[in-house]
Amino acid sequence: MAQEFYKKIYSLSEGYVILYQALRSMPSMARSQRRNELSHQFIERIMLAVTEVNGCAVCSYGHTKMALEQGMTSEEIQKLLTGATDGIPDDEVKAILFAQHYADTRGHPSAAAWQQIVDTYGTSRALGILGATRAIMFGNAYGIPLSAFGNRLRGKPIKKTSLPYELAMILSIIVFLPIAVVHALIAGLLRVPIIQGT
């Protein structure tokens, strides 16, 4: 079964929130990597699982390449890109399911789902999983309009999007990025929780 692209289209306001949340959470992912709490393959599994839910062609291509470079098999990658979770290491299944739930709820996971991740992995590793999930959500939210714009330039426009939407999302990053960086820094200084329940 081939992967379906352009499953979710995010608004400008959602794009800003996704960017801000990624900036808040990616340092936790980097910390978890340094502490050997998350392997590169584990992170790629999260990225592929979220990309499958959102349907980002650019991210699917890029993370398939990275996953192959990390030693994942083509079969495992294909399963993740079709939403299947069989074959995932047992200790990673809950994280993959959480990442899919996170994307499916457009970044609004249930408190119970998040608590399951904290209970299973501990706070530090759970925040790393959240960081990986939010990083790819950012990639997907902006990669989808970028990919759609590329298709439009090749004469194959995507029915779910329009040229004004694609350009607005692509160009919004110029305005949003510095604002979101300051927003994330202030939130960190004020110790605003990274996610509800932390």
Side-chain angles (χ1 to χ4, degrees), residues 64-97:
T64 294
K65 181 179 182 295
M66 286 185 241
L68 287 168
E69 290 169 356
Q70 293 301 324
M72 291 173 63
T73 66
S74 298
E75 181 184 13
E76 181 182 8
I77 293 165
Q78 191 57 42
K79 282 182 180 177
L80 282 164
L81 288 174
T82 56
T85 56
D86 56 310
I88 294 170
D90 290 343
D91 65 330
E92 296 179 11
V93 171
K94 278 190 180 178
I96 301 304
L97 293 173

Side-chain angles (χ1 to χ4, degrees), residues 10-23:
Y10 292 94
S11 69
L12 279 169
S13 60
E14 286 176 310
Y16 176 80
V17 171
I18 289 168
L19 170 60
Y20 161 75
Q21 290 176 335
L23 290 170

Side-chain angles (χ1 to χ4, degrees), residues 15-105:
Y16 176 80
V17 171
I18 289 168
L19 170 60
Y20 161 75
Q21 290 176 335
L23 290 170
R24 287 290 320 273
S25 298
M26 287 192 298
S28 297
M29 178 183 72
R31 243 186 327 275
S32 286
Q33 283 185 286
R34 284 194 306 273
R35 294 174 180 165
N36 295 316
E37 294 172 337
L38 298 178
S39 69
H40 291 292
Q41 284 193 2
F42 192 175
I43 290 170
E44 286 307 321
R45 285 186 191 96
I46 290 168
M47 303 254 174
L48 289 166
V50 171
T51 294
E52 185 279 326
V53 172
N54 286 319
C56 178
V58 173
C59 296
S60 178
Y61 173 81
H63 286 283
T64 294
K65 181 179 182 295
M66 286 185 241
L68 287 168
E69 290 169 356
Q70 293 301 324
M72 291 173 63
T73 66
S74 298
E75 181 184 13
E76 181 182 8
I77 293 165
Q78 191 57 42
K79 282 182 180 177
L80 282 164
L81 288 174
T82 56
T85 56
D86 56 310
I88 294 170
D90 290 343
D91 65 330
E92 296 179 11
V93 171
K94 278 190 180 178
I96 301 304
L97 293 173
F98 171 78
Q100 290 172 327
H101 167 65
Y102 189 97
D104 197 46
T105 60

Side-chain angles (χ1 to χ4, degrees), residues 89-160:
D90 290 343
D91 65 330
E92 296 179 11
V93 171
K94 278 190 180 178
I96 301 304
L97 293 173
F98 171 78
Q100 290 172 327
H101 167 65
Y102 189 97
D104 197 46
T105 60
R106 303 177 81 87
H108 301 286
S110 70
W114 171 245
Q115 191 58 51
Q116 277 284 322
I117 296 304
V118 173
D119 292 346
T120 301
Y121 298 102
T123 301
S124 176
R125 199 172 184 207
L127 288 172
I129 290 164
L130 180 67
T133 303
R134 286 180 169 178
I136 193 60
M137 281 289 289
F138 163 67
N140 290 174
Y142 289 90
I144 289 168
L146 181 63
S147 178
F149 181 66
N151 280 347
R152 186 175 300 282
L153 291 178
R154 289 188 291 276
K156 299 176 181 176
I158 305 304
K159 291 179 183 173
K160 290 184 177 182

